[in-house]
Amino acid sequence: MCGRFVVANVGSELVGVLRVDVEGDDLPAPSYNVAPTSQVAIVLDSAKSEPPTRRLESARWGLVPGWAKDLSVGSRAFNARSEELEHKPMFRTALEKRRAVIPASGYYEWKKVGDAKVPHYIHPADGSPLFFAGLYEWWKNPAIAEDDPSKWVLSFTICTRDSIGRLGSIHDRMPLFLDPDFADAWLDPTTENVGDILDAAIDAAPDVAETLEDHVVSSSVGNVRNNGPELIEPVEGD
């Protein structure tokens, strides 16, 4: 799974390789302890224009589908198992037309060691951005006036798959990593072969996973109120 991650850079610093056309005005600040329900910068291709416009927008972590009665649904949908996306109503429509890329610097995972859970920071060895495959939705808040800009809420979930190699020794699930060269295919809202795109992403994720490094970090990361670069520093125990 992926329940905490790091975004040390924002805007074009992090996603230049994805060739974003438009950057939102309200992008969140860098964070070393991103948790579910936080605002996060995501990349999506908007089909409102032809060709689609690639946008970097602020979104709430935790998918809230259009039929939801309130935002609380999203707190349980911060991850989506890739092998279930085509079958679960919660994710099926978003998979077809609303796929996203979530740029990150790295993420945290907890390894069970005896009765304890030890946090690891997992990241690209060369410091390059890491890209997670995701889905997004727009939700209309019925309690807010029609002319209020906050009436529409953009939300997202991070797709996961079974872990491999060293990452599998830390946790049995990992984010669905995307190679930057595959991002265009994943984001394209006009594609009709969604099943093939998903299968290709699942098959390619291990290639990215094998390039990642990890180290043990402080248990301070377990508290969402802690947020700073010291959280990703190695501590004894690796």
Side-chain angles (χ1 to χ4, degrees):
M1 62 180 296
C2 178
R4 298 284 180 85
F5 65 98
V6 175
V7 183
N9 299 307
V10 293
S12 55
E13 285 185 78
L14 187 58
V15 298
V17 68
L18 297 184
R19 303 182 304 280
V20 170
D21 299 313
V22 178
E23 294 184 19
D25 296 327
D26 58 346
L27 296 180
S31 174
Y32 288 84
N33 202 356
V34 180
T37 74
S38 298
Q39 289 296 125
V40 178
I42 70 170
V43 179
L44 57 90
D45 276 6
S46 173
K48 291 183 178 180
S49 61
E50 180 58 43
T53 301
R54 183 156 299 175
R55 306 183 67 91
L56 179 68
E57 297 286 358
S58 177
R60 178 187 171 97
W61 187 13
L63 195 73
V64 184
W67 45 260
K69 294 182 178 180
D70 56 59
L71 283 172
S72 64
V73 172
S75 64
R76 303 186 299 274
F78 57 90
N79 283 167
R81 298 172 72 94
S82 57
E83 59 270 30
E84 299 177 350
L85 298 182
E86 294 182 277
H87 311 294
K88 282 199 169 185
M90 181 80 171
F91 306 118
R92 187 168 56 224
T93 303
L95 174 66
E96 292 174 358
K97 295 294 183 183
R98 292 181 288 277
R99 295 178 298 279
V101 172
I102 297 87
S105 305
Y107 72 103
Y108 301 106
E109 196 54 86
W110 279 257
K111 180 178 182 178
K112 191 170 183 180
V113 181
D115 294 330
K117 289 186 176 181
V118 179
H120 288 242
Y121 178 55
I122 302 166
H123 61 99
D126 61 359
S128 61
L130 189 58
F131 300 113
F132 304 143
L135 309 174
Y136 74 92
E137 288 279 17
W138 285 98
W139 179 73
K140 188 177 183 180
N141 191 335
I144 294 180
E146 291 291 336
D147 59 352
D148 192 318
S150 64
K151 186 171 185 65
W152 287 95
V153 177
L154 177 62
S155 65
F156 74 97
T157 187
I158 294 174
C159 302
T160 67
R161 57 151 287 164
D162 55 302
S163 291
I164 57 100
R166 181 173 172 85
L167 297 189
S169 70
I170 299 173
H171 197 278
D172 62 353
R173 303 292 295 181
M174 68 182 188
L176 187 59
F177 305 115
L178 290 177
D179 183 286
D181 293 335
F182 189 71
D184 287 343
W186 178 259
L187 288 169
D188 185 0
T190 66
T191 188
E192 297 181 356
N193 57 332
V194 175
D196 292 342
I197 294 295
L198 176 60
D199 289 343
I202 293 172
D203 291 343
D207 290 339
V208 178
E210 290 174 354
T211 69
L212 303 180
E213 293 184 346
D214 70 274
H215 56 260
V216 173
V217 294
S218 169
S219 59
S220 297
V221 71
N223 187 332
V224 296
R225 292 189 293 271
N226 295 326
N227 195 333
E230 68 279 0
L231 293 179
I232 64 173
E233 292 300 318
V235 299
E236 290 186 13
D238 199 354

